[in-house]
């Protein structure tokens, strides 16, 4: 422990106290050393470089408190004076062994400790705080010293009460903290506190006492290890990094040496050439989350006997699952991505680091990248870096809490040249590619290698046209289902059928479901990058068209999201011969067309082949009448309404249900 220079000691205040020589002061300092260091630690500002620096500074202040020669002691006793009613000030506080009277020598050393502690305010707040507290302009302690090389020393952690007291004290100015401490552990009366503060250089000692009144007198807590700078924990600094950066530290100065020695984090992924941001202090849980040796790895056979069928039972797969360096880089970038990392997250998905060691799902080479897939119970995280280095690394997050067998059936491993590769669940037996726009076409088989599919052309429709929409077809022991890539990590599950108690949406792989989806497949493009979990298409009505134009189909498409909110509902209208359906109405965060409210009413203006405009409206099953008001007026019994209208007319729709309830048109 060392300091850059000895503090200038101002002339001692005029006092009628006895003269104290250096020997007496040293005896008092040695006898009451723990007590003095605790006082200095409590008086120092909490922002004094962290608890380790604050401890070292407190020891340095006490060790520098000896006078150079015989000095008059202040006329302030080392013990509390009696109050007017004969009781000792703060008599309710428990007595301590080190509270015995230290005599004039102790009073002199204590005054010097208070003086130098008040001098140690940080420079960034010095002007405002000194103007508020009335302190004279004194130089601060050296910013880099004292220092202990090779060790980090700090008090043991306290409980919630100690932490709350520390936070309250941190809000006080330096003189106010000193007043609070002198009242408490030192048991001085307010008059004596004012005298000590004035001798130490505080111009507004009375104001400091008033400010100290804001903190309750919880002095009993000061006996805990959290406030004992003489009972310390010691931890080493990073020996490897200190050796590696020795030359650079000497060239850059002492500041870089300190920065390189203070942090003990893994090298790979944290260096200046990695994708992660520079290192920073972490607690033990966060450090464990960055250790690739602590990653959870599930056995390949667990899913067969588990009651759960979600991402938690996926085994660790991939040809790089044992690459410790890659896994460490992925974890480091997850904890703190650097400026060069492209980060994306689905709506409602937090992008912070893992709370503990996550589960490894995959680590391997995918096309021209190294990919790591991790799961922390709430999110899927995908880290990807190019094969030729960490430049251009990407980090993607997707929320997957509450995933079921269908929702946990596949993940997107990577996209390249318009193609998509998926990682499938261990229970998937076969995979294929299907064009949702061609319901009668056969499925094209996809190979599975350790759960990874061969490339599948992604569903990317051309602007202004949509002739195909490729989806992934997965088969397991429970059936066949379709999932589609909507630009996120987790593909959306496609279903078809009336939701709610009166009906159940089923998988979209059946022939009828494929025919329902075919005209409306391209509407999935409007749901990209919205955190969609599943999309259900439900044909809720079929309506004869006027002028013998055939029959039109009404379909409600509802997209559910992983976050619960942000649902999207489309009412779509498809006429014979039209390549795709038209969106008649759309809404967000409404219950219609869902399990809670499996009903819907929608309308559209339609022009017949004869050139006549009509208002066409349809309600779901159970609608007994439909009424239009506004630009078009009329009522029809049943769930269908057809009225002649003017081009551009607008109408409000209302339907009556069998139970008498009313339903308004979707807008």
């Amino acid at each position: 422990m060392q300091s850059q220079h000895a503090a200038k000691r101002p002339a001692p205040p005029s006092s009628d106290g006895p003269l104290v020589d250096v020997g007496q002061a040293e005896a008092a300092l040695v006898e009451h050393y723990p007590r003095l260091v605790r006082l200095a630690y409590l008086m120092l500002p909490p922002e004094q470089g962290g608890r380790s620096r604050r401890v070292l500074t407190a020891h340095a202040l006490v060790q520098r408190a000896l006078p150079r020669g015989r000095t008059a002691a202040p006329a302030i006793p080392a013990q509390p004076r009696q109050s007017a009613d004969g009781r000792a000030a703060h008599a309710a506080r428990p007595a301590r062994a080190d509270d015995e009277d230290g005599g004039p020598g102790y009073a002199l050393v204590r005054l010097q400790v208070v003086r130098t502690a008040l001098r140690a305010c940080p420079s960034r707040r010095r002007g405002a705080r000194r103007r508020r507290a009335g302190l004279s302009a004194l130089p601060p302690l050296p910013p880099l010293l004292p220092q202990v090389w090779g060790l980090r020393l700090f008090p043991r952690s306290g409980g919630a009460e100690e932490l709350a007291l520390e936070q309250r004290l941190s809000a006080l100015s330096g003189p106010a903290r000193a007043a609070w401490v002198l009242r408490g552990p030192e048991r001085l009366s307010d008059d004596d506190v004012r005298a000590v503060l004035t001798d130490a250089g505080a111009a507004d000692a009375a104001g400091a006492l008033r400010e100290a009144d804001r903190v309750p007198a919880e002095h009993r807590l000061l006996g805990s290890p959290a406030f004992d700078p003489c009972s310390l924990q010691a931890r080493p600094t990073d020996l490897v990094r200190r050796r590696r950066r020795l030359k650079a530290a000497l060239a850059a100065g002492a500041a870089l040496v300190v920065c390189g020695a203070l942090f003990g984090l893994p090298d790979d992924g944290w260096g200046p050439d990695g994708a992660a941001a520079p290192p920073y202090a972490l607690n033990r849980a966060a450090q464990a989350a960055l250790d690739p040796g602590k990653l959870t790895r599930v056995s390949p056979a667990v899913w067969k006997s588990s009651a759960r069928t979600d991402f938690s039972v996926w085994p660790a797969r991939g040809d790089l699952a044992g690459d410790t360096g890659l896994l460490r880089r992925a974890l480091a970038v997850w904890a703190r991505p650097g400026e060069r990392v492209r980060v994306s997250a689905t709506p409602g998905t937090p992008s912070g680091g893992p709370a503990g060691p996550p589960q490894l799902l995959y680590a391997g080479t995918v096309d021209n990248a190294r990919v790591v897939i991790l799961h922390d119970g709430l999110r899927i995280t995908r880290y990807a870096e190019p094969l030729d280095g960490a430049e251009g690394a990407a980090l993607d997050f997707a929320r997957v809490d509450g995933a079921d067998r269908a929702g946990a059936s596949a993940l997107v491993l990577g996209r390249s040249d318009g193609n998509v590769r998926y990682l499938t669940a261990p229970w998937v037996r076969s995979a294929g590619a299907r064009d949702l726009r061609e319901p009668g076409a056969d499925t094209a088989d996809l190979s599975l290698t350790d759960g990874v599919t061969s490339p599948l052309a992604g569903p990317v429709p051309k602007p202004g046209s949509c002739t195909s929409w490729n989806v992934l077809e997965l088969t397991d022991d429970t059936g066949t289902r379709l999932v589609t890539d909507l630009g996120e990590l987790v593909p959306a599950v496609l279903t078809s059928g009336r939701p709610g108690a009166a009906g159940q949406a089923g998988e979209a792989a059946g022939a009828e479901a494929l025919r329902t989806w075919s005209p409306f497949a391209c509407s999935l493009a409007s749901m990209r990058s919205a955190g969609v979990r599943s999309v259900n298409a439900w044909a809720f009505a079929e309506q004869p068209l006027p002028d013998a134009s055939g029959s039109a189909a009404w379909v409600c498409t509802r997209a559910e999201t992983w976050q619960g909110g942000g649902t999207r509902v489309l009412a779509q209208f498809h006429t014979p011969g039209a390549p795709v359906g038209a969106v008649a109405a759309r809404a967000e965060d409404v219950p219609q067309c869902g399990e809670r409210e499996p009903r819907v009413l929608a309308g559209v203006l339609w022009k017949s082949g004869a050139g006549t405009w009509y208002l066409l409206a349809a309600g779901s099953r159970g609608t007994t009448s439909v009424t239009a008001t506004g630009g078009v007026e009329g009522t029809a019994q049943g769930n269908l309404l057809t009225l002649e209208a003017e081009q551009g007319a607008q109408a409000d729709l209302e339907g009556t249900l069998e139970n008498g309830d009313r339903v308004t048109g979707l807008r």
Side-chain angles (χ1 to χ4, degrees), residues 602-635:
V604 67
L605 283 176
W606 175 78
K607 183 180 181 181
S608 70
T612 305
W613 286 92
Y614 292 90
L615 171 64
L616 305 178
S620 55
R621 189 175 64 186
T623 304
T624 58
S625 67
V626 179
T627 300
T629 57
V632 183
E633 296 189 353
T635 300

Side-chain angles (χ1 to χ4, degrees), residues 66-146:
L66 288 177
R68 286 194 171 91
R70 291 174 61 85
T71 306
I76 304 297
Q79 285 295 307
R81 295 176 177 174
Q82 298 294 321
S83 60
D85 59 0
R87 295 177 299 173
H90 306 288
R93 299 188 183 89
R96 300 182 319 188
D98 63 347
D99 275 336
E100 298 176 357
D101 190 351
Y106 175 78
L108 176 62
V109 174
R110 180 183 62 193
L111 174 61
Q112 182 62 16
V113 169
V114 174
R115 178 181 292 128
T116 53
L118 293 182
R119 192 180 300 162
C121 293
S123 59
R124 61 186 176 87
R125 296 185 181 178
R126 189 185 310 132
R129 182 170 291 177
R130 291 189 181 279
R131 286 192 299 270
R132 182 171 63 251
L135 286 177
S136 58
L138 294 174
L141 290 178
L144 298 180
L145 299 175

